[in-house]
Amino acid sequence: MRGALVRGMRGMRRARDTPGARAASGTQVASEEQVASEGGAKRHRPWLRLPRLSALRLPALRLPRSRRGRRLAVQGLMALCVLALLPATWMRMGSDARVGTTADAPAREVAMVFGAGLWKGRPTPYLAHRLDAAAELYRTGKVKVVLVTGDNSRVEYDEPDAMRTYLTERGVPDDRIVSDYAGFDSWDSCVRAKKIFGVDRAVLVSQGFHIHRATTLCRSAGIDAYGVAVDEPRDATWYYGGTRELAASGKAALDALFRPDPRFLGPQEAGVTEALASATP
């Protein structure tokens, strides 16, 4: 009985391996692929089925069960919050007496305007408000030269030239504007203003959530800086900028402590000196 069963199974295998059987099988596979390609009902293939989200089990976050464990967890969370707020608090307390409005700003030869993005080649509203404040400082005679510092790391993105165009449209002479094309962040802008352009004293212009950090960094770079805080409505952009400052303040604290070179230092430039010379009657 067992020998007959084995012989029967061998016969079935030979029949399945014949050219006709293989051709029939190929025709069936081809017809399935044709139906799928023509938009027909697709057959479910178990090997292509993605795992269900319910099958992906993530480890559950478990709080400590003991009272002492929960107390330590809360204390650790509070310590992390304090560490996160410490750099921003230090910068605000250290520069609060050196931040005011355009009316409060002392007379300086140079105003520095930090880039804040472009939209279709034009300054964003926040950057435009900074430039408006700088133009007011120039018109009132509090500054003689405006140093615009921003990002020009790509050919199609040129913050300083867009800032220059905006200022000239508002009455600031072109020869009183100096461009720094490598102001990739606030620290780079401050260091380059000191080492490349020879700025010793300046009025910085930015929004309130950023001006304390900019003032602290420029003072760390060796500039006698006073910050003008531009007023803005408390909209989503303002709150985003304030939240972003928490992370940026940590990096700024490290920059002020270790004082690294900017991403691109380059040779010294006489743009500010020449612009001040042209401003002298």
Side-chain angles (χ1 to χ4, degrees), residues 152-164:
N152 183 215
S153 58
R154 307 186 304 275
V155 175
E156 69 277 6
Y157 189 85
D158 192 340
E159 279 186 327
D161 277 358
M163 296 161 75
R164 176 187 290 272

Side-chain angles (χ1 to χ4, degrees), residues 1 31 49 51 77 88 116 119 146 151 162 169 194 207 211 219 231 233 235 250 254 257 265 277 280:
M1 183 68 180
S31 63
R49 189 175 300 165
L77 181 60
W119 174 253
V146 180
D151 186 356
E169 291 172 352
K194 175 66 176 180
Q207 271 72 30
I211 195 63
R219 292 183 64 196
D231 288 332
D235 55 5
L254 295 176
L257 179 62
L265 192 60
T280 303

Side-chain angles (χ1 to χ4, degrees), residues 66-206:
S66 65
R67 181 178 300 178
R68 182 174 181 273
R70 289 193 295 268
R71 187 188 308 117
L72 290 176
V74 172
Q75 291 174 351
L77 181 60
M78 292 177 63
L80 289 176
C81 292
V82 170
L83 290 175
L85 294 173
L86 189 59
T89 304
W90 166 64
M91 292 184 183
R92 177 170 288 272
M93 293 179 62
S95 62
D96 202 41
R98 289 176 168 264
V99 172
T101 64
T102 53
D104 301 327
R108 294 282 194 271
E109 291 184 332
V110 180
M112 275 184 63
V113 184
F114 297 84
L118 301 177
W119 174 253
K120 295 182 179 180
R122 297 284 296 176
T124 60
Y126 270 45
L127 179 53
H129 296 163
R130 298 181 186 185
L131 296 168
D132 290 337
E136 181 182 348
L137 290 171
Y138 178 82
R139 286 194 300 267
T140 56
K142 292 194 172 184
V143 301
K144 300 177 180 179
V145 173
V146 180
L147 174 62
V148 292
T149 173
D151 186 356
N152 183 215
S153 58
R154 307 186 304 275
V155 175
E156 69 277 6
Y157 189 85
D158 192 340
E159 279 186 327
D161 277 358
M163 296 161 75
R164 176 187 290 272
T165 301
Y166 188 94
L167 286 173
T168 55
E169 291 172 352
R170 279 146 187 82
V172 181
D174 186 73
D175 60 352
R176 305 292 177 86
I177 305 171
V178 180
S179 299
D180 176 13
Y181 295 96
F184 301 124
D185 60 22
S186 300
W187 174 251
D188 285 12
S189 296
C190 291
V191 174
R192 285 179 54 81
K194 175 66 176 180
K195 294 185 177 182
I196 303 302
F197 295 95
V199 176
D200 295 320
R201 304 169 74 229
V203 177
L204 315 181
V205 184
S206 187

Side-chain angles (χ1 to χ4, degrees), residues 196-246:
I196 303 302
F197 295 95
V199 176
D200 295 320
R201 304 169 74 229
V203 177
L204 315 181
V205 184
S206 187
Q207 271 72 30
F209 55 76
H210 172 247
I211 195 63
H212 293 275
R213 176 164 62 93
T215 304
T216 301
L217 288 175
C218 281
R219 292 183 64 196
S220 298
I223 299 175
D224 180 8
Y226 184 92
V228 168
V230 179
D231 288 332
E232 296 289 350
R234 300 300 192 263
D235 55 5
T237 305
W238 190 92
Y239 284 107
Y240 167 77
T243 304
R244 179 179 175 274
E245 282 300 303
L246 295 178

